[in-house]
Amino acid sequence: MKTYKVIIVDDQAISRKLFALMVENEPEFELIAVLDQAHFLDTYLIQQKVDLILMDILMDKGAQGLRTAKMIKSQYPFIKIIALTSMPEVSWIKQAKAIGIESFWYKDSPFETLINIIKQTMNGAHIYPETSKETTIGLAKSSEFTERELDVLRQMTTGASNSIIAQRLCMSENTVKTHIRHLLEKTGCENRTELAIKARLSGLVISDED
């Protein structure tokens, strides 16, 4: 039987333990390392062959899982990666696909589905959820926001002013104000501060600065 060598990268201790137990209980997988930070990966990738990495997206230095995955795919394209997250950040599925990450799994899904995804991924499948995980901000569901509104909202969570948001997104300041007005109307939030706080707490939009 072929044995696949696996590394787990997740900054949450409970997740690391659960994923480790899952891998160790599958005879076709060999657990090489369990890491709490992505920057420790280099040592293992240089020293030995790795077949699969289970990679948490959001760790204590922001969405470093995606940045690390991009680096891995450029240097070790044969290594398969499954992105893991509990956050509904709407851009991550698109980013993961663009990087070449094989599969994507939400942590609140049934645990058995991850085992199946791992096995299918190693057999050449690419498994992604059909849609981003839905959440709510105030009165609105995440599916009610346009992509451009979400871009503005993501910038708002950094505390950026309207003029800075306009510069970053290459739009006029009046357009930014219009998007914010629509966001306030949809969510029922009283002001931009309340809106930004609720958006960040929901995990719907997470800036690269987080």
Side-chain angles (χ1 to χ4, degrees):
M1 177 188 295
K2 180 177 176 57
T3 301
Y4 297 107
K5 299 182 183 297
V6 182
I7 291 179
I8 296 167
V9 185
D10 196 308
D11 66 345
Q12 296 181 344
I14 294 177
S15 294
R16 291 197 302 273
K17 290 179 181 179
L18 288 174
F19 296 148
L21 286 172
M22 177 194 67
V23 171
E24 290 171 339
N25 285 334
E26 297 296 327
E28 64 264 50
F29 297 108
E30 177 186 351
L31 186 60
I32 298 299
V34 181
L35 309 176
D36 63 0
Q37 293 297 330
H39 63 259
F40 294 133
L41 266 172
D42 282 349
T43 302
Y44 293 92
L45 299 182
I46 292 170
Q47 292 178 350
Q48 58 188 305
K49 182 179 182 296
V50 175
D51 299 295
L52 173 68
I53 299 174
L54 302 182
M55 178 80 74
D56 187 25
I57 294 179
L58 185 65
M59 289 179 265
D60 65 358
K61 294 183 179 179
Q64 66 179 113
L66 292 176
R67 292 193 292 272
T68 303
K70 186 175 183 179
M71 178 276 294
I72 292 169
K73 282 300 180 182
S74 67
Q75 298 182 25
Y76 308 93
F78 56 86
I79 296 178
K80 296 183 184 295
I81 301 174
I82 299 177
L84 314 171
T85 188
S86 58
M87 296 295 179
E89 174 29 278
V90 294
S91 71
W92 283 351
I93 288 179
K94 183 177 181 180
Q95 290 184 57
K97 288 180 178 179
I99 289 168
I101 291 173
E102 279 73 16
S103 298
F104 193 107
W105 185 74
Y106 284 116
K107 290 182 179 180
D108 58 356
S109 303
F111 203 69
E112 295 77 11
T113 64
L114 179 56
I115 298 172
N116 292 331
I117 288 174
I118 290 173
K119 292 180 177 180
Q120 291 182 61
T121 299
M122 297 315 298
N123 285 328
H126 291 200
I127 311 297
Y128 273 78
E130 293 183 0
T131 60
S132 300
K133 179 179 173 183
E134 188 164 77
T135 188
T136 58
I137 299 178
L139 303 175
K141 295 180 180 179
S142 53
S143 57
E144 297 177 38
F145 302 117
T146 68
E147 184 173 348
R148 213 53 176 152
E149 286 172 347
L150 290 169
D151 289 340
V152 170
L153 190 55
R154 188 176 294 107
Q155 294 300 322
M156 288 176 63
T157 64
T158 70
S161 65
N162 288 352
S163 60
I164 295 298
I165 294 174
Q167 292 175 23
R168 290 176 178 174
L169 299 180
C170 298
M171 62 175 62
S172 71
E173 193 168 341
N174 283 336
T175 301
V176 172
K177 291 178 181 178
T178 297
H179 284 311
I180 293 175
R181 184 176 72 252
H182 290 164
L183 286 163
L184 291 171
E185 291 171 352
K186 289 179 179 180
T187 61
C189 293
E190 294 186 0
N191 52 61
R192 60 180 294 147
T193 301
E194 179 187 357
L195 174 61
I197 291 172
K198 286 186 175 180
R200 183 61 186 88
L201 290 176
S202 75
L204 174 62
V205 285
I206 299 174
S207 168
D208 289 340
E209 298 180 15
D210 290 332

